[in-house]
Amino acid sequence: MTIRVFENPVEAAAAVAHRLIDAIRAKPSLTLGLPAGRTPIPAYAELRRLNRQGAISLAGTRTFNLDEFVGLRADDPRSFRHFMEANLFEGTDLPPASIEFLDGAAHDLDAECRRYEAAIAGAGGIDLQLVGIGINGHIGFNEPGDRLMADTHRVDLRPETRLANIEQFGGRLAAVPHQALTMGMGTILRAKAIVLVATGESKAEVIARAVREPLTTHLPASFLQTHRSVELYLDRAAAAGF
């Protein structure tokens, strides 16, 4: 595990963006796993800026997003698909056909999870998986508990996770879905390389625990310790627990 610490969130985001850019330049047909959420927004903004300037092309890239809320259509402004369109995909040369996403409004959610898992396998797996981390140690929407599901699955969201997503639902906790679809920890760990980005003092304790404590399903991020190629991109505040 490699830990890189930057002075502030802006520097951390720029470094993450250039880590993605270097990977795409090395392999233009790169398959990327991507998260939604506030933390990667600056990195996505830099990647999109450089794409629009012609410094990097996404034309050969394929993407798989980590998760999606159950019950939301892709065009719902509260969906992660809408978030990704607004913060990364729109206006780039990434072909729409190369964007893979879980359908939270699918009629058969379990079948949708199986479809997604098969699509990842059919793409040859994920080359580089970008992830964030929840304050309770979740990766994707793999919540802490007595067990973890290996493959893409439907999950019941914990109260703290729903609260963390309240902003995109107009500040109304009642409007935040109780379930989501997510890649499983096994799916994530099968990626060839994983980059975790975390900023802010609220992430310091959970980052330190994920790196130092024994593996436990009650701290899903601890399983990153088992991966052969994990890089942590942290600002000073998020690294304060070391």
Side-chain angles (χ1 to χ4, degrees):
M1 184 178 289
T2 302
I3 301 174
R4 301 186 64 188
V5 181
F6 301 87
E7 287 300 320
N8 53 59
V10 174
E11 291 185 12
V16 170
H18 285 276
R19 173 67 175 89
L20 298 179
I21 289 165
D22 289 345
I24 294 167
R25 284 176 174 159
K27 184 180 180 181
S29 61
L30 194 77
T31 298
L32 273 173
L34 298 173
R38 292 183 294 273
T39 303
I41 288 176
Y44 290 160
E46 177 68 2
L47 181 58
R48 184 163 62 172
R49 182 184 71 82
L50 292 173
N51 176 257
R52 287 174 170 174
Q53 289 181 352
I56 185 71
S57 174
L58 303 177
T61 305
R62 189 170 181 181
T63 67
F64 287 85
N65 260 74
L66 273 170
D67 40 33
E68 182 59 281
F69 289 108
V70 165
L72 300 189
R73 294 167 52 92
D75 58 357
D76 190 308
R78 303 167 300 176
S79 71
F80 283 155
R81 176 58 187 262
H82 187 273
F83 171 94
M84 292 300 299
E85 291 289 347
N87 288 283
L88 179 59
F89 301 150
E90 192 175 77
T92 70
D93 64 350
L94 178 65
S98 297
I99 298 170
E100 296 280 357
F101 230 98
L102 283 157
D103 180 4
H107 175 70
D108 186 333
L109 294 172
D110 294 332
E112 172 62 8
C113 291
R114 292 192 295 271
R115 179 201 67 80
Y116 205 61
E117 198 70 31
I120 293 172
I126 292 171
D127 294 309
L128 177 59
Q129 178 69 61
L130 182 63
V131 299
I133 184 170
I135 58 172
N136 64 5
H138 72 229
I139 299 290
F141 274 139
N142 291 282
E143 298 279 40
D146 292 336
R147 63 178 186 170
L148 290 174
M149 298 290 289
D151 294 338
T152 302
H153 62 285
R154 178 173 23 171
V155 62
D156 292 326
L157 300 176
R158 291 173 63 98
E160 62 268 26
T161 299
R162 295 180 62 239
L163 186 61
N165 286 277
I166 196 171
E167 184 177 330
Q168 70 196 77
F169 291 89
R172 296 177 55 247
L173 185 59
V176 182
H178 287 264
Q179 291 189 323
L181 305 181
T182 185
M183 289 185 194
M185 282 304 300
T187 313
I188 294 167
L189 291 171
R190 284 191 288 271
K192 296 179 180 67
I194 299 173
V195 171
L196 184 149
V197 56
T199 58
E201 63 182 358
S202 67
K203 300 295 178 69
E205 180 183 356
V206 73
I207 286 289
R209 291 179 59 216
V211 171
R212 291 175 171 169
E213 292 188 4
L215 304 185
T216 171
T217 59
H218 293 278
L219 184 64
S222 66
F223 282 83
L224 296 178
Q225 297 176 36
T226 69
H227 197 275
R228 64 189 178 278
S229 180
V230 174
E231 304 163 52
L232 272 58
Y233 284 64
L234 313 173
D235 69 351
R236 289 284 177 195
F242 293 112

